[in-house]
Amino acid sequence: MLRKSQGSVRETLLAFFEAENNRDWKTYKRYLSTHVEWVSFEPPKKKVRRGISSYLNAMKRAYRGNRSRFTVGTIAADEERQVGMAELFFNGRRSVDVFEFKNALIRREREYFDDTYWRRSLGLDRRGSH
């Protein structure tokens, strides 16, 4: 269960996404467990980052020179189990991200990208998005 001083899973994710979109890494870091694990399933490979420094460095690199913002399509949260899911849209791509919380902090994120990018890069899909 989240502590009273913390928001709900849904509220926490919305604040976390706002910090990410604003590239406010100091605020962003406050939502992460020291032992956070991020697993990104982006065809054709899987990336794993463990620990807060590795996670933050990966995010900073991903946004370097890119001021685009993503939008949140859907958020679903199970407050009792401390799990949230968000569907995000960024530059014509979509991801579904599953967040697991521990002690009111994000302990694990699993990010699943659609296959638009790799299909387009291989010349299999010229439309660019679904």
Side-chain angles (χ1 to χ4, degrees), residues 83-98:
V83 175
M85 182 282 302
E87 181 181 34
L88 307 173
F89 299 93
F90 183 73
N91 289 340
R93 297 186 71 199
R94 173 186 15 221
S95 72
V96 173
D97 298 41
V98 179

Side-chain angles (χ1 to χ4, degrees), residues 40-59:
S40 177
F41 298 92
E42 183 174 2
K45 61 185 175 180
K46 173 176 119 176
K47 298 178 203 169
V48 179
R49 300 287 184 265
R50 289 186 180 90
I52 203 164
S53 293
S54 180
Y55 187 109
L56 278 172
N57 289 335
M59 290 297 110

Side-chain angles (χ1 to χ4, degrees), residues 5-121:
S5 63
Q6 299 292 326
S8 68
V9 167
R10 185 179 195 288
E11 291 168 339
T12 299
L13 287 175
L14 287 170
F16 179 70
F17 296 147
E18 181 178 354
E20 184 173 344
N21 264 333
N22 292 330
R23 313 311 190 257
D24 180 356
W25 304 119
K26 184 177 178 181
T27 299
Y28 186 83
K29 182 178 179 178
R30 289 192 297 205
Y31 297 103
L32 300 173
S33 165
T34 304
H35 304 290
V36 67
E37 178 181 74
W38 173 51
V39 182
S40 177
F41 298 92
E42 183 174 2
K45 61 185 175 180
K46 173 176 119 176
K47 298 178 203 169
V48 179
R49 300 287 184 265
R50 289 186 180 90
I52 203 164
S53 293
S54 180
Y55 187 109
L56 278 172
N57 289 335
M59 290 297 110
K60 289 176 183 178
R61 274 192 310 276
Y63 285 110
R64 191 171 289 133
N66 186 340
R67 295 306 302 165
S68 297
R69 296 173 59 91
F70 61 86
T71 57
V72 179
T74 304
I75 291 184
D78 182 334
E79 299 295 335
E80 188 174 318
R81 296 181 68 200
Q82 294 298 282
V83 175
M85 182 282 302
E87 181 181 34
L88 307 173
F89 299 93
F90 183 73
N91 289 340
R93 297 186 71 199
R94 173 186 15 221
S95 72
V96 173
D97 298 41
V98 179
F99 295 86
E100 298 172 28
F101 287 77
K102 184 174 182 180
N103 298 324
L105 298 172
I106 296 168
R107 173 63 180 94
R108 180 173 292 116
E109 176 184 0
R110 293 185 317 273
E111 181 174 49
Y112 302 92
F113 277 94
D114 65 14
D115 63 358
T116 304
Y117 178 79
W118 71 267
R119 290 183 57 82
R120 192 171 43 210
S121 69

